[in-house]
Amino acid sequence: MLNAQTVIDGLNLVREQRPLVLSLTNYVVMNVNANALLAVGASPIMAHSPQELPELIEKVDSVVINLGTLDDTWLKSMHYAIELANHANKWVVLDPVGCGFTQYRTEAAQRLARLANRLLIRGNSQEIQALLGFSNHNNGLDDHSGTVDIMGLALSAQEQFQAHVVISGQHDALVFNQHRIINQNGHPWMTQVTGMGCTLSALLGAFLPCDPNAPLSATSCWTLAGQVAAQHAQGYGSFMPAILDQLHQLTPTQIQHLQAWSHY
């Protein structure tokens, strides 16, 4: 049964095993993603040169692909990284940032999702709709408007791409193995500060090699850290440092106070 102890065990595994996570991620979030991985107990590598990818992917435990600042050079490296990860049987986390905002970005995300063998997709509801080829009216890269059946979207993405799926937003939909979960932990500021979703994608890359319940453990730790950090921060500017502090300091006692999840 999935419960708070599941999350505690997952976090302990990350802290004990210190997984090495390779991120081909965007310039906007590179620093905070690296610091969040360190805070949770993992080790980050931020690199995208095709010359070193074969050697890197042999050494790392997972690969995070983030489309934030996309261009042809990065896209070729992303394709190559996924091919190498497939060969090495490594997990790939795909964050289809801005999928649906332009045709180029949407088609790139769809190709990458189809390419990966061991895949977790993490995006907001607008991005997942576009990844699935559904028509939407995306108002921006971090749009959270409208009412969407996020569990239905997550199940559709799981079926289409044979992947674990995390859809983050006001509430989070998690689909992995036979589990279907709505997570209601977190804080509204987490939808208002740049890079929150991207950082969750990086953390998922840390938990996946260690923890069979990684989507739940990583999402719960991140949203709980945000919930606690908001009690100490003065506003958006101090929120990100506070959430990194809380991620580093998370205790079993705090995790025991997680709000219950909804199971489908």
Side-chain angles (χ1 to χ4, degrees):
M1 179 179 177
L2 301 180
N3 52 34
Q5 189 61 47
T6 306
V7 179
I8 293 167
D9 292 344
L11 179 58
N12 286 338
L13 286 168
V14 172
R15 288 172 170 172
E16 291 166 6
Q17 297 181 24
R18 299 193 61 83
L20 187 58
V21 181
L22 171 63
S23 295
L24 286 77
T25 192
N26 71 73
Y27 296 118
V28 178
V29 300
M30 203 173 285
N31 180 271
V32 69
N33 284 188
N35 284 330
L37 287 168
L38 290 168
V40 82
S43 296
I45 294 179
M46 307 314 201
H48 58 269
S49 170
Q51 284 73 26
E52 63 178 351
L53 283 175
E55 186 176 358
L56 282 174
I57 288 176
E58 284 298 321
K59 295 178 179 180
V60 302
D61 296 295
S62 65
V63 180
V64 177
I65 304 289
N66 180 304
L67 272 62
T69 47
L70 189 63
D71 64 23
D72 280 350
T73 300
W74 279 54
L75 186 55
K76 290 176 183 177
S77 291
M78 291 171 177
H79 274 267
Y80 189 32
I82 292 177
E83 289 172 354
L84 291 166
N86 288 345
H87 182 72
N89 198 33
K90 303 288 176 72
W91 276 102
V92 172
V93 177
L94 176 64
D95 189 332
V97 177
C99 186
F101 201 57
T102 66
Q103 183 177 353
Y104 173 75
R105 189 172 288 271
T106 302
E107 292 176 351
Q110 291 169 340
R111 290 196 301 273
L112 293 170
R114 287 191 292 266
L115 181 61
N117 289 344
R118 301 183 73 192
L119 177 65
L120 184 146
I121 301 168
R122 201 295 313 166
N124 64 38
S125 60
Q126 294 273 330
E127 291 161 346
I128 303 303
Q129 285 183 80
L131 189 67
L132 290 167
F134 299 157
S135 175
N136 65 49
H137 302 285
N138 197 331
N139 297 319
L141 302 187
D142 296 303
D143 182 52
H144 303 281
S145 62
T147 301
V148 177
D149 175 11
I150 56 171
M151 182 54 69
L153 276 179
L155 290 169
S156 295
Q158 180 191 46
E159 180 179 3
Q160 182 164 325
F161 298 108
Q162 298 300 298
H164 295 341
V165 181
V166 174
I167 301 180
S168 54
Q170 183 177 1
H171 297 152
D172 308 311
L174 318 176
V175 176
F176 62 101
N177 302 329
Q178 302 302 313
H179 303 296
R180 305 173 181 182
I181 296 170
I182 296 292
N183 171 50
Q184 298 183 50
N185 295 286
H187 190 274
W189 285 356
M190 298 185 80
T191 66
Q192 300 299 317
V193 176
T194 297
M196 288 288 170
C198 297
T199 305
L200 174 55
S201 296
L203 293 175
L204 286 159
F207 279 78
L208 278 168
C210 309
D211 178 13
N213 299 302
L216 179 64
S217 302
T219 302
S220 297
C221 287
W222 183 234
T223 54
L224 177 60
Q227 200 168 299
V228 177
Q231 300 171 12
H232 307 289
Q234 300 300 307
Y236 297 167
S238 56
F239 184 50
M240 183 60 84
I243 198 172
L244 292 177
D245 285 345
Q246 291 303 320
L247 188 63
H248 174 64
Q249 297 167 9
L250 274 182
T251 66
T253 300
Q254 288 176 312
I255 294 172
Q256 289 288 355
H257 289 93
L258 278 166
Q259 183 174 339
W261 309 287
S262 300
H263 294 262
Y264 280 68

